[in-house]
Amino acid sequence: MYLSAMKVGDRGRVVSFSAGYKVYRRRLLALGVTPGTEFTVTNVSPLGDPMAIEVRGFILALRADEARVLQVEKL
Amino acid sequence: MITIALVGNPNCGKTTLQNFLTGSNYQTGNWSGVTVEEQRGSFCYKNSSYQVIDLPGIYSLAAHEDEGALDAKIAREFITKQKIDVIVNVVNANNLQRHLYLTIQLLEMQIPVIVVVNMLDKAQVQGVELDLNKFSQLLHCPVLPMLASPDQTRLQDAIASLVHKSSVQHGSNCFTVVPYVKSIRDAIEQLSIAILPSFKPHAINRQWLTFSLLEGDMLGEIDVDDTTKQVLAQMSAHWREKIVAQEGEDVDILLADARYRLVQNICTACLTKKERVSSYYNVTKYLDHIVLNKWLGLPIFLLVMYVLFVLTIELGGKLQDCITHVSETYLITNLYDFLQQQGCSLFLTVLLTQGLGRGLITTITFMPVLGALFFYMALLEESGYMSRAVFVIDRIMRAFGLPGKAFVPMIIGFSCNVPAVLAARTLEQQRDRILTIMISPFMSCGARLAIYAVFTAAFFPEHGALVVFALYLIGIVAAMLTGLVLRKTFLIGSPDPLVMEFAEYNLPKITNAVRYTVRRMWSFIIRAGRLIVPLCVMLGILQSFSFSGAINDGSVAFPSILSVLGRFITPLFAPLGITSDNWPAVIGLLSGAYAKEVVVGTLNTLYAQLGSIHGAVQSLADNNQYIYGVMYKYFTGKVGAFSYLLFVLLYFPCISTVAVMLRELNLKWVLFSVFWTTLVAYSVAVIFYQAATVMHHIVSSVLWIGGIIMIISIASYCLKLLCQTSQLK
C-alpha cells in the first residue's frame, strides 16, 4: 500500500522502494527512510496534501503522490 | 594556514559554532558564480592561524547529477575536491541517528574528523544521556561537547590540539567498520584499485569517488580520458548488476541500509534513555497539533503573513517615507546648494545630485522595508514555524507550479518586489528560483498602491476598493499565466520534490535575528547598490538634460531627453486610450522606471503645470481636487484611467527590481522579464480599452484585439522555438 492510504496516528513500516526519481529516493535514504524502518503518521496538512511522518525521532513532510515510490505496510 | 570546514545537517548549529570560534572575525560572500552565501572566518591560536569555513547544511554526500539543491552541491564539491585539514562535524544529540549518517560518510572519506555534539542539554532534559568516551571510541575520532555558553579559548584550544593530533595520525586510521554486504565490499575494493592510477590524491577524494561510481554517479563529471571513463563505466555497471542479482536490492539502498545499521548500533551502545515522558517533545507535538490543525492551520498561516505584511508595509513603509524626506533634503537640496557655493559647474552639480544622490537615496530607502523583512524572517526561521508554513501552503503553491517555500517571495512581493526577488534564494532548485523571480514583478507592490489611490480618488470615488482589489487579482492571474508559459517552454519540469524535516520549535533570540538582519542588509547595500546607483545616474541624465545639452530648469516646458522621448512615443499608447495631448501620463510611466513611487509625483507636477498653462484658477486648499480635475480632463474617462492602471500594474519592473534580478540571475532572464512584463502590460491594457469602447469604433477595436492576440501568440511561439533551439545545443 501507499503512504496516502494511511491516516493520522497510524503506525507503518517501509517495505520497499519502487524504481523512481533517483534524486528523491536518495534524499529519503539519506534521512533514514530505508526498507524496514518504522514510522508514525503525525499530521496531514489542512489542505489535505503534504503528510508528516515521524521517523527515527524526527518529523518529515512528504507529498502523497511523490511518496508513491514507497511501498509501506500498516502495523 | 590550517583549513577547518564546518559540516553538518541543516540547522545543526554550525553557524553558532562559527561565531564562538571566530567571533566577529568573518566575511560573507557568495560562492563564485552562484547566489549561495559563503561564510569564512579565521582565528589565531598559539602562533598558528586557522581558517574556518561554514559550509551549507547537507544530509548526505551522495552526488546527484542534476541541478537541484545548489547549496548542497557546493558543500559536497568543497568537501570532496578542496584541500581540507580537518572537518568539524556538528551533530545534534537530540537527533543523533540522522546526524550520524553524514558523520559515517565523512569518516569513510578518511579526512580527519572531529565531532562536536550540540544540544546535549536539551537531550538531557528529555532523559537521554550520551556516553561521550564510548561514542568517541566507536567512531574512531575525537568528540567534543558543545556547551550552551562555551569559553571561546577553551573551544579553540580543544580544536587546535585535536587538529594537531589528527594531522599526525592522518591516514593511519582507516574507517572500515560499516557492515556492508560482501558483494559491496568486493566491489569497493576492486573499484578503488581501478581508479587509483587515474586520479591524483588532491584532485578528488578517491574513497568518495569509489562510492559515487558504484552508485552510478559522477561518470559525467570526472576528469579522465575517454577510454578510462569507459572502463570505469563498464566496471561499475558490471558490479551494480552483480550486486542487484545477488542481494535483490539496489546499491543505493544497500549502502544507506548498512550505514544506518551501524548508526543504530552506535546509538544503542552510547545512548541511555530514562523512561520518562519527555516534556520537550510533548511541546512540539502540542504546538504542531494547533499550528497544523485542519481548521486553525490556514488562519494561523494567514495571521503570520499578515503580521509580515503590516511590518514591511506599515512600519517599513512609514520609515521609508521619513528616510526619503530626510535624505532628499541632504543628498539633493543641500548637496546642490553646497556644490553651487563651491563653484562647481552646473553640469557636474546636476550629475551628482540628480544622478548619484538620487541613486543613493533609492538604495537607502529600501533599508527599512528590507530590515523589517529580514528581521521578521529570521525570527520565523529560528522559531521553527517556517517549515510548518510550507507544510500548510504547499498545495496552493503547486497551482503555480512552485514548491511551498515560494510563498514567502510571493507574499513579500505585495509589499515590495526587491526583497521578493532576494527571498527567492531560499528555494533549492534553480528552476523554482527563476520561475519565482519571473512572476514576482506581477505582485502589485506598495508603491503601485499609491498610484491606484490617486486614480481611484479622481475617477472611481465610489468603487475605489473594488478597483484596487481587481487590479491585485489581475496581477496574480498574470503571474499564473506567466508561470504557465514558462513551464511550457524554458522551465519544463516539476517543482522540487518535498522531503522536508520539521525544525524544532525554539524561542528565537533577538541578537541572532539582529546579526542576521545586519549581515543581509549590508550585503544588499554593497551588491545591489552597485547596480542601482549607476542605473539611476543614467536615468538622472535622461531627465536632467535636453538633447541640446541644456540643463533642466524645472519648468514643465523643458525638453529633457526623457520628456522628448515621452512625447515621441505617446502615439504608441493611443490604443490603450492615451491621447497625444495626454503626454504627461507617458512621462509618468517613464519616470516610474526609477521606482513606481515616483509616478505620482511626476503626474502631480506635470498636471499642475499643464493646468495652469491653460489658465485654470487654482487655490492651494483644493490642490488635489484641482489636479484630479485636470487629470479627469486628459484621460478618456474611467475606461482610459483603468487601462492606464492596468499598464502601471503590469509593466517594466522598477530599476531596483531589475538590479537585484541582474544580481540573482543573468542578463538574459532580466531582458526577458523587462520585455515580457511590458508586452503583457500593453496587451492587457489595449485589449481592455478596445473591448470597453468597442461600440465607438467596432472595426478598429476588433483589429486591435485581433492584432494583440496575434502578437502574443507569435511571441509565445517564438519562445517555444527559442527554447527548442537552445535545448538542441
Side-chain angles (χ1 to χ4, degrees):
Chain A
M1 77 193 276
Y2 295 128
L3 188 64
S4 50
M6 297 184 78
K7 287 194 294 289
V8 172
D10 284 354
R11 273 192 71 69
R13 180 191 289 135
V14 179
V15 179
S16 65
F17 279 81
S18 50
Y21 188 31
K22 204 166 160 191
V23 178
Y24 183 68
R25 179 165 134 164
R26 294 279 174 81
R27 277 196 215 168
L28 288 178
L29 287 173
L31 287 167
V33 183
T34 51
T37 312
E38 291 179 11
F39 62 86
T40 311
V41 179
T42 57
N43 301 88
V44 171
S45 167
L47 294 166
D49 189 12
M51 298 174 78
I53 59 170
E54 190 192 332
V55 59
R56 291 188 194 264
F58 66 98
I59 299 170
L60 187 65
L62 302 171
R63 291 190 192 119
D65 58 338
E66 288 164 359
R68 287 170 89 88
V69 301
L70 288 177
Q71 285 285 337
V72 298
E73 63 181 2
K74 209 160 157 179
L75 289 182
Chain B
M1 182 90 104
I2 293 160
T3 307
I4 303 172
L6 297 180
V7 183
N9 286 184
N11 303 319
C12 65
K14 282 180 288 106
T15 312
T16 319
L17 184 65
Q18 161 98 320
N19 289 333
F20 285 143
L21 276 176
T22 64
S24 56
N25 187 16
Y26 62 77
Q27 306 114 32
T28 52
N30 273 7
W31 293 91
S32 55
V34 293
T35 49
V36 177
E37 236 156 71
E38 175 196 13
Q39 197 177 332
R40 280 168 197 262
S42 58
F43 67 87
C44 274
Y45 189 78
K46 290 189 180 159
N47 301 328
S48 307
S49 60
Y50 297 82
Q51 186 187 27
V52 185
I53 296 157
D54 185 4
L55 291 172
I58 45 171
Y59 291 114
S60 149
L61 286 177
H64 314 304
E65 281 175 274
D66 70 331
E67 252 293 294
L70 209 52
D71 44 357
K73 196 174 174 182
I74 285 162
R76 201 167 50 234
E77 296 229 317
F78 194 90
I79 297 168
T80 54
K81 291 186 182 158
Q82 300 288 320
K83 186 193 159 289
I84 300 172
D85 293 294
V86 66
I87 288 174
V88 173
N89 175 216
V90 183
V91 299
N92 184 336
N94 252 330
N95 200 342
L96 209 50
Q97 279 200 30
R98 203 200 58 223
H99 283 260
L100 279 183
Y101 183 76
L102 179 65
T103 311
I104 301 294
Q105 287 189 311
L106 293 172
L107 289 168
E108 282 182 314
M109 290 179 59
Q110 298 179 10
I111 302 171
V113 174
I114 298 171
V115 172
V116 174
V117 188
N118 196 7
M119 304 280 184
L120 272 171
D121 43 350
K122 255 190 187 167
Q124 263 163 6
V125 172
Q126 289 184 61
V128 177
E129 290 283 345
L130 178 64
D131 183 342
L132 287 177
N133 284 329
K134 204 163 187 183
F135 194 45
S136 171
Q137 269 172 26
L138 288 173
L139 286 175
H140 302 273
C141 79
V143 171
L144 274 178
M146 181 142 104
L147 304 167
S149 53
D151 178 359
Q152 197 189 18
T153 49
R154 231 181 74 198
L155 201 68
Q156 286 176 348
D157 179 57
I159 285 184
S161 65
L162 287 175
V163 166
H164 182 67
K165 220 163 80 188
S166 296
S167 56
V168 171
Q169 294 175 343
H170 189 175
S172 62
N173 58 334
C174 290
F175 188 77
T176 50
V177 290
V178 184
Y180 295 122
V181 289
K182 183 162 185 309
S183 53
I184 287 201
R185 286 205 306 271
D186 292 345
I188 291 169
E189 201 184 314
Q190 295 294 319
L191 270 173
S192 57
I193 292 170
I195 63 171
L196 209 54
S198 312
F199 295 91
K200 291 192 190 78
H202 291 301
I204 191 164
N205 185 285
R206 289 188 293 214
Q207 282 77 14
W208 178 77
L209 183 63
T210 311
F211 283 109
S212 297
L213 289 175
L214 188 60
E215 288 190 67
D217 296 328
M218 286 307 286
L219 271 169
E221 288 179 42
I222 47 176
D223 185 24
V224 285
D225 57 274
D226 286 348
T227 34
T228 319
K229 214 178 239 179
Q230 224 158 20
V231 170
L232 288 177
Q234 273 170 5
M235 197 169 168
S236 54
H238 160 76
W239 276 106
R240 262 199 307 284
E241 277 163 30
K242 196 170 164 184
I243 292 167
V244 173
Q246 272 184 13
E247 310 294 333
E249 200 72 274
D250 282 332
V251 174
D252 52 354
I253 291 177
L254 289 169
L255 288 176
D257 185 60
R259 287 174 192 144
Y260 263 107
R261 262 188 292 144
L262 174 64
V263 164
Q264 215 152 12
N265 291 341
I266 293 175
C267 287
T268 329
C270 306
L271 287 174
T272 40
K273 264 184 201 153
K274 288 179 204 139
E275 275 308 319
R276 192 173 70 181
V277 185
S278 51
S279 59
Y280 172 75
Y281 201 65
N282 277 350
V283 170
T284 304
K285 281 211 162 139
Y286 184 69
L287 282 176
D288 274 350
H289 192 68
I290 299 171
V291 163
L292 306 178
N293 180 282
K294 193 167 184 185
W295 306 111
L296 291 176
L298 268 177
I300 290 176
F301 171 82
L302 291 175
L303 181 75
V304 170
M305 290 305 118
Y306 180 71
V307 173
L308 168 70
F309 212 59
V310 168
L311 267 182
T312 49
I313 283 206
E314 293 292 321
L315 193 80
K318 290 259 159 60
L319 275 170
Q320 188 170 28
D321 292 343
C322 183
I323 287 183
T324 313
H325 192 74
V326 172
S327 54
E328 259 176 12
T329 317
Y330 282 100
L331 281 172
I332 295 188
T333 321
N334 289 2
L335 185 67
Y336 186 90
D337 294 343
F338 174 76
L339 289 172
Q340 284 295 291
Q341 278 166 14
Q342 299 301 312
C344 261
S345 72
L346 195 57
F347 176 81
L348 193 66
T349 310
V350 169
L351 200 66
L352 283 177
T353 52
Q354 288 305 323
L356 194 65
R358 181 75 58 191
L360 286 174
I361 290 172
T362 310
T363 312
I364 295 169
T365 48
F366 283 109
M367 296 285 98
V369 175
L370 284 177
L373 169 79
F374 289 149
F375 185 73
Y376 190 64
M377 297 296 282
L379 291 184
L380 270 189
E381 191 74 63
E382 209 183 334
S383 73
Y385 179 69
M386 211 53 139
S387 48
R388 273 82 179 179
V390 170
F391 187 70
V392 169
I393 205 68
D394 186 78
R395 187 71 177 267
I396 294 178
M397 293 311 296
R398 290 184 77 193
F400 289 87
L402 284 169
K405 267 188 194 172
F407 77 88
V408 179
M410 286 191 58
I411 286 173
I412 296 166
F414 287 119
S415 71
C416 178
N417 293 164
V418 171
V421 172
L422 290 177
R425 274 182 178 214
T426 50
L427 300 172
E428 269 141 27
Q429 271 201 122
Q430 180 75 355
R431 168 197 174 274
D432 300 344
R433 265 196 295 268
I434 296 176
L435 195 52
T436 309
I437 292 176
M438 286 299 114
I439 65 173
S440 59
F442 292 116
M443 300 294 125
S444 182
C445 66
R448 275 170 266 186
L449 186 61
I451 310 176
Y452 308 155
V454 172
F455 275 77
T456 47
F459 293 91
F460 312 97
E462 274 140 42
H463 308 289
L466 198 67
V467 167
V468 173
F469 188 65
L471 285 165
Y472 274 83
L473 275 188
I474 292 167
I476 294 173
V477 172
M480 287 183 93
L481 291 179
T482 301
L484 196 71
V485 168
L486 283 174
R487 274 185 289 148
K488 293 273 180 237
T489 54
F490 290 101
L491 302 172
I492 294 167
S494 49
D496 207 23
L498 183 78
V499 183
M500 179 184 65
E501 175 200 356
F502 277 0
E504 290 162 43
Y505 284 110
N506 268 316
L507 211 60
K509 285 197 191 78
I510 301 288
T511 45
N512 286 355
V514 169
R515 192 184 288 142
Y516 173 86
T517 309
V518 170
R519 211 165 66 204
R520 293 299 297 272
M521 298 240 282
W522 188 238
S523 127
F524 172 80
I525 297 183
I526 302 291
R527 274 176 261 151
R530 225 160 42 193
L531 289 165
I532 293 176
V533 171
L535 286 171
C536 283
V537 171
M538 250 168 55
L539 260 180
I541 291 174
L542 292 181
Q543 209 165 34
S544 303
F545 298 98
S546 72
F547 276 112
S548 61
I551 293 166
N552 199 342
D553 53 4
S555 80
V556 68
F558 179 78
S560 71
I561 301 178
L562 200 67
S563 73
V564 171
L565 281 178
R567 285 179 211 230
F568 183 71
I569 62 168
T570 302
L572 274 179
F573 290 86
L576 55 93
I578 294 175
T579 52
S580 62
D581 57 348
N582 195 12
W583 52 265
V586 176
I587 296 179
L589 291 177
L590 288 183
S591 72
Y594 254 133
K596 307 270 163 108
E597 289 96 331
V598 183
V599 176
V600 174
T602 313
L603 293 182
N604 266 339
T605 328
L606 290 176
Y607 285 115
Q609 290 172 348
L610 210 60
S612 58
I613 289 171
H614 291 281
V617 186
Q618 173 189 3
S619 82
L620 266 174
D622 52 12
N623 181 36
N624 273 348
Q625 286 306 321
Y626 165 74
I627 288 173
Y628 294 162
V630 179
M631 276 169 64
Y632 206 90
K633 215 169 73 194
Y634 281 91
F635 277 93
T636 42
K638 291 186 182 187
V639 173
F642 192 71
S643 81
Y644 185 73
L645 285 183
L646 281 176
F647 193 84
V648 166
L649 163 72
L650 302 168
Y651 86 119
F652 186 85
C654 69
I655 215 102
S656 311
T657 308
V658 171
V660 285
M661 276 184 177
L662 199 58
R663 194 187 123 191
E664 300 294 309
L665 300 174
N666 56 34
L667 188 64
K668 259 192 287 183
W669 279 112
V670 174
L671 287 177
F672 170 79
S673 176
V674 166
F675 282 116
W676 180 256
T677 50
T678 310
L679 177 71
V680 169
Y682 193 75
S683 313
V684 171
V686 169
I687 289 177
F688 169 76
Y689 183 76
Q690 295 297 336
T693 57
V694 72
M695 283 309 151
H696 301 289
H697 33 68
I698 294 179
V699 179
S700 68
S701 278
V702 169
L703 281 179
W704 268 113
I705 293 173
I708 289 289
I709 290 174
M710 217 167 74
I711 289 175
I712 292 187
S713 320
I714 292 173
S716 308
Y717 185 69
C718 287
L719 278 183
K720 189 127 199 165
L721 273 188
L722 206 70
C723 169
Q724 277 163 358
T725 48
S726 67
Q727 267 165 6
L728 283 180
K729 269 183 232 159

